[in-house]
Amino acid sequence: MRKFLTSMRAASIAALFFFLHILFLFPTASSAAVASGGTGKRIAVTQINAVRFGANDQRERLVIELGQIPEYTISQDLEGRRYILELKGVSRRKGKMPSVKGKLVRKVSFRKTAASHIITIDLKEAAAQEIITLRNPARLVVDFYPLSEKDKTVMVAAGIRRSDYVKRTLAGAVRGYILTVDPELYRLDPVLAGNVVPGRTTVSAMAREYGAVAAINGGYFDWDGTILGMLRIGGKLAGTGYQRRTAVGFRSDGTGVIGPVEYTGRVTIHSAMVPVYGVNTPRENNSLVIYNSYHGKKTATDKNGREFTVVDNRVTDIRQNDSPIPENGYVISVSGKCRDAYSLVRKGDAVTFYESVSTGSAATGTGRADWGQQIIDWKNIPDILGAGPQLVAGGKAAVTKEEEQFPADIAKGRAPRTAIGIREDGSWLLVVVDGRQANSIGMTLEELAELMVKYGAKSAVNLDGGGSSEMVVKGSIINSPSDGSERPVGSGIVVTPR
């Protein structure tokens, strides 16, 4: 009997917990919940308390006052002449229909469904839309703008002009920030995060470190900060690409050049000649990698290889891995078949290290036949930052994303973007476009190319984008990084007075 009562008591407690669990999962109708507009939070069913309409010379505004912000969607129809705003979980509407007297907005109508309120806004002509959420008091603010393109230009300092660009399209608003820099008054330099590979830091930190008037993010990088692409600083390579892609070169006299760049290298010891896989990059199996002082104090390699320290073209030390890197030399790190090729190497042996940074072979395939036909003497350009694809050539939009074999996450769709260009008069263009945000949807590469042409680019190249896109001017972050905060990046470009 005791066992029976004990089991009954346990069953009753279990049932009580199950009931409470169900109660919390499925509340009664008076406390039913819906998701808040894109936040993932759950809030009580609400109602429309009032609707107001207003207009000025810049925009026309519909303000919807609510008990709480519900989940909502907004879509367009009739080629941008109608917008449909659905408020999910809204129980009812109070108040009268607002008086609509606008140059854009023609009529506002409401329709109740079983689970939502649908507000239809009919326009007299196609217009861009932007929606703003206010929490206290709870309001949805829907703004309508004429389709437009404009900028506001100010002088940051002598020789630096800043243009804030806004374009309103049916797809949404786009915001960009353009700096035009006089090369006679300022020099542009690619910089390495922390001056070491791998490493990452923010664009604002780079600007502070170099006392820069302005700075933008640079080329591509892996998440540990390994440089993905060409990067040469002061004549020394910090990173190399694995294929021919577009780069920007900074000459000693302040002028620049943009075009294809390709790295080749080889090491010969005794009669064994082995191609270089890369510089300051992780060593793969059956490969040869060069580590120089930009990689820090040691190679940080595993035990599956062999390493030769070279100073003055002679092997000065031989180790298995994690070799110290001399400031006045480099380390050859080999694995697999490459290691076997150098099995007879000893201290004191002579080393011939050949490397070349050049335009490379002309483009082939189905893409633009003229890509990379111009021969650039990269050998005598001390500072090079590679990224890609090319955006502008000869003053015209010429995007080479297929020729440079860029993946879809870079080549397709709208995104935050960063670019650098050179104008006919030799001045520089630094451009950052915000994206993945309500007030800026970003740009495609083709749209970015057209923007560069609009501001006078004779040539231009795309840099790293997405959450990396950032511009700093006089210590302030000018744009709105899509991560919501600064993303540490592998490299940047700084603008400093001459």
Side-chain angles (χ1 to χ4, degrees):
M1 176 64 71
R2 182 176 299 172
K3 288 184 178 180
F4 175 77
L5 290 175
T6 301
S7 64
M8 286 294 293
R9 187 180 297 114
S12 298
I13 294 172
L16 177 60
F17 275 109
F18 177 77
F19 172 78
L20 291 174
H21 178 69
I22 293 298
L23 181 63
F24 280 111
L25 280 180
F26 304 100
T28 60
S30 61
S31 62
V34 294
S36 173
T39 66
K41 297 179 181 178
R42 300 186 69 80
I43 61 173
V45 164
T46 187
Q47 66 180 15
I48 300 173
N49 293 326
V51 178
R52 294 182 285 109
F53 177 78
N56 59 29
D57 292 339
Q58 284 75 44
R59 53 107 184 103
E60 297 185 7
R61 171 170 287 181
L62 189 70
V63 180
I64 305 163
E65 297 184 4
L66 300 134
Q68 298 185 61
I69 300 297
E71 181 183 355
Y72 62 86
T73 61
I74 190 164
S75 58
Q76 63 172 266
D77 196 5
L78 301 178
E79 297 181 338
R81 289 181 288 111
R82 171 177 290 171
Y83 284 88
I84 301 100
L85 176 63
E86 182 178 3
L87 307 178
K88 298 181 180 180
V90 175
S91 61
R92 58 181 175 172
R93 176 174 62 87
K94 296 171 63 178
K96 297 181 180 180
M97 186 78 68
S99 174
V100 177
K101 295 180 179 180
K103 295 180 179 180
L104 287 175
V105 178
R106 180 173 61 85
K107 182 177 68 173
V108 179
S109 57
F110 292 80
R111 179 166 61 90
K112 180 72 176 70
T113 70
S116 62
H117 251 86
I118 296 175
I119 303 174
T120 301
I121 306 104
D122 285 301
L123 307 177
K124 298 176 182 178
E125 62 185 56
Q129 168 274 138
E130 185 175 309
I131 192 163
I132 303 168
T133 302
L134 302 177
R135 297 285 172 181
N136 189 20
R139 296 176 183 175
L140 284 180
V141 180
V142 188
D143 287 336
F144 296 94
Y145 299 88
L147 301 180
S148 63
E149 184 179 35
K150 61 182 179 179
D151 69 5
K152 178 182 179 182
T153 300
V154 298
M155 293 301 295
V156 172
I160 300 182
R161 186 171 68 249
R162 169 184 162 186
S163 299
D164 292 358
Y165 171 86
V166 178
K167 183 175 183 178
R168 300 192 182 278
T169 71
L170 290 180
V174 180
R175 297 178 185 272
Y177 307 88
I178 299 96
L179 292 182
T180 307
V181 181
D182 184 347
E184 293 186 1
L185 298 179
Y186 298 89
R187 60 175 295 148
L188 274 68
D189 295 286
V191 295
L192 184 63
N195 210 36
V196 68
V197 179
R200 294 196 299 153
T201 191
T202 62
V203 175
S204 60
M206 294 179 191
R208 287 193 300 270
E209 180 179 354
Y210 290 91
V213 179
I216 59 173
N217 63 291
Y220 301 109
F221 61 94
D222 210 341
W223 285 109
D224 67 351
T226 298
I227 299 300
L228 302 177
M230 184 72 66
L231 181 59
R232 184 161 76 180
I233 300 175
K236 181 186 288 188
L237 286 164
T240 53
Y242 304 114
Q243 63 193 95
R244 186 173 185 260
R245 281 186 171 164
T246 304
V248 54
F250 307 86
R251 295 191 179 101
S252 300
D253 63 0
T255 62
V257 64
I258 292 173
V261 68
E262 187 174 61
Y263 173 85
T264 55
R266 58 181 180 267
V267 173
T268 303
I269 308 178
H270 300 315
S271 60
M273 184 182 71
V274 177
V276 176
Y277 175 75
V279 176
N280 296 330
T281 190
R283 187 195 65 211
E284 304 290 343
N285 192 30
N286 298 316
S287 66
L288 183 154
V289 173
I290 299 294
Y291 293 103
N292 61 33
S293 59
Y294 275 131
H295 196 266
K297 295 185 180 300
K298 290 191 171 185
T299 59
T301 48
D302 59 36
K303 295 181 179 180
N304 297 320
R306 199 174 188 217
E307 297 183 335
F308 310 103
T309 304
V310 179
V311 177
D312 294 331
N313 301 320
R314 293 281 177 180
V315 176
T316 60
D317 192 17
I318 301 176
R319 302 192 182 202
Q320 187 176 5
N321 70 303
D322 200 23
S323 301
I325 302 173
E327 182 65 34
N328 59 339
Y330 54 91
V331 174
I332 303 168
S333 184
V334 290
S335 64
K337 294 179 181 179
C338 297
R339 176 188 59 201
D340 297 341
Y342 291 147
S343 61
L344 299 179
V345 173
R346 299 292 182 265
K347 288 184 182 180
D349 285 348
V351 177
T352 301
F353 175 28
Y354 167 84
E355 61 179 355
S356 171
V357 176
S358 66
T359 298
S361 57
T364 58
T366 59
R368 291 180 56 90
D370 61 342
W371 181 62
Q373 294 293 331
Q374 177 189 5
I375 303 300
I376 299 171
D377 184 12
W378 291 105
K379 179 180 178 181
N380 296 317
I381 299 176
D383 300 304
I384 304 171
L385 185 140
Q390 172 187 280
L391 297 173
V392 177
K396 297 181 180 180
V399 179
T400 56
K401 58 189 180 184
E402 289 87 6
E403 294 84 346
E404 301 188 49
Q405 300 176 26
F406 274 96
D409 62 329
I410 295 172
K412 296 183 179 181
R414 290 189 175 90
R417 304 282 186 182
T418 303
I420 185 169
I422 304 170
R423 290 159 51 96
E424 188 67 43
D425 62 2
S427 58
W428 293 94
L429 286 176
L430 306 181
V431 175
V432 167
V433 175
D434 282 337
R436 300 173 185 163
Q437 300 172 61
N439 67 348
S440 186
I441 60 174
M443 282 187 169
T444 65
L445 290 173
E446 289 75 14
E447 290 169 339
L448 181 61
E450 293 294 345
L451 181 67
M452 301 299 289
V453 171
K454 176 182 176 64
Y455 282 89
K458 179 182 68 176
S459 58
V461 58
N462 180 63
L463 303 178
D464 190 18
S468 299
S469 286
E470 183 178 351
M471 177 180 287
V472 173
V473 177
K474 288 189 170 181
S476 297
I477 302 171
I478 299 303
N479 71 307
S480 177
S482 63
D483 285 354
S485 60
E486 289 187 272
R487 174 185 291 181
V489 296
S491 65
I493 298 173
V494 296
V495 180
T496 55
R498 285 195 173 276

